[in-house]
């Protein structure tokens, strides 16, 4: 289990995987944070393809090519904006991970890297988000034997430590 689920500290745009996940907004037309970094690294072709997708609802995901990224594909998902935890935020965040994993399975992707969806501009508490990310990744890896690696890419040491703690808690 734990060898197929990895936590690393770094920049998601540098990951050598089949697909990286983008924490996008509902327009899919670019934003700041990880979205801005992915569009900069992928080049303008990514925005051109995103324009044809007509946006994406919160909790769902859409796939594009990766263009100049090392990753062949980008899975764009839209996390919930944190309000107070009583507006379906947990369920919507879990739905992001499940929607991404559904695309991973559908497209035969073997290695995928995720950023910590919703924990930047969208304000989702990191510890709570990390538990959801790890729970969904563990469930998926238990169901799908063909996926070799799920990498949770943490931006900064504190995010890294929070995710490692969630893996220890949930995966033992
Ligand atoms: P959201 O709007 O879903 O909150 P953000 O991009 O603002 O998305 O932040 C999501 C997470 O991605 C944050 O934890 C942020 O620190 C992290 N992040 C920002 N840039 C990168 C990057 N280049 N690689 C990996 N993670 C990143």
């Amino acid at each position: 289990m734990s060898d197929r689920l990895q936590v690393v500290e770094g920049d998601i745009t540098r990951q050598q995987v089949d697909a990286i996940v983008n924490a996008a907004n509902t327009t899919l037309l670019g934003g700041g944070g990880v979205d801005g970094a992915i569009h900069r690294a992928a080049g303008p072709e990514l925005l051109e393809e995103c324009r044809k997708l007509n946006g994406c609802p919160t909790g769902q995901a859409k796939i594009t090519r990766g263009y100049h990224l090392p990753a062949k594909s980008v899975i764009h998902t839209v996390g919930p904006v944190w309000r107070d935890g009583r507006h379906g935020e947990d369920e919507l965040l879990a739905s992001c991970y499940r929607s991404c994993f559904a695309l991973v399975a559908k497209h035969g992707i073997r290695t995928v890297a995720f950023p910590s969806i919703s924990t930047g501009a969208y304000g989702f508490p990191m510890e709570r988000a990390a538990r959801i990310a790890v729970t969904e990744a563990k469930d998926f890896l238990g169901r799908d034997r063909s996926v070799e690696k799920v990498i949770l890419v943490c931006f900064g040491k504190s995010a890294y430590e929070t995710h490692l703690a969630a893996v220890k808690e949930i995966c033992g």
Side-chain angles (χ1 to χ4, degrees):
M1 168 69 216
S2 58
D3 56 320
R4 294 167 69 218
L5 177 59
Q6 293 183 354
V7 177
V8 304
E9 184 184 344
D11 179 345
I12 199 159
T13 65
R14 314 294 291 270
Q15 302 299 311
Q16 305 273 345
V17 286
D18 294 341
I20 63 171
V21 172
N22 181 18
N25 58 47
T26 53
T27 69
L28 297 183
L29 297 182
V34 74
D35 193 356
I38 289 172
H39 277 275
R40 276 194 300 278
E45 298 95 329
L46 179 60
L47 185 58
E48 282 311 305
E49 186 175 353
C50 284
R51 281 190 210 288
K52 297 176 189 147
L53 298 177
N54 295 313
C56 180
T58 303
Q60 295 185 29
K62 293 190 177 180
I63 191 165
T64 65
R65 292 172 56 193
Y67 300 98
H68 301 289
L69 287 162
K72 189 168 160 269
S73 306
V74 179
I75 299 172
H76 307 262
T77 190
V78 183
V81 177
W82 177 263
R83 289 168 70 184
D84 55 6
R86 284 184 247 135
H87 289 82
E89 293 95 328
D90 290 338
E91 196 42 52
L92 283 167
L93 185 60
S95 168
C96 287
Y97 284 93
R98 285 182 210 141
S99 303
C100 290
F101 285 129
L103 288 173
V104 164
K106 184 175 170 193
H107 291 268
I109 290 162
R110 290 182 177 272
T111 55
V112 59
F114 286 85
S116 180
I117 300 160
S118 280
T119 63
Y122 284 2
F124 205 108
M126 177 82 67
E127 217 179 288
R128 186 157 165 164
R131 285 201 194 100
I132 292 169
V134 171
T135 300
E136 295 304 325
K138 181 183 180 223
D139 278 12
F140 175 71
L141 286 168
R143 286 198 302 276
D144 189 315
R145 309 307 302 177
S146 66
V147 172
E148 290 160 15
K149 204 170 285 183
V150 173
I151 307 176
L152 304 179
V153 181
C154 302
F155 208 53
K157 190 153 193 282
S158 143
Y160 174 72
E161 282 168 358
T162 302
H163 283 76
L164 267 192
V167 169
K168 282 203 185 107
E169 180 190 314
I170 292 159
C171 305

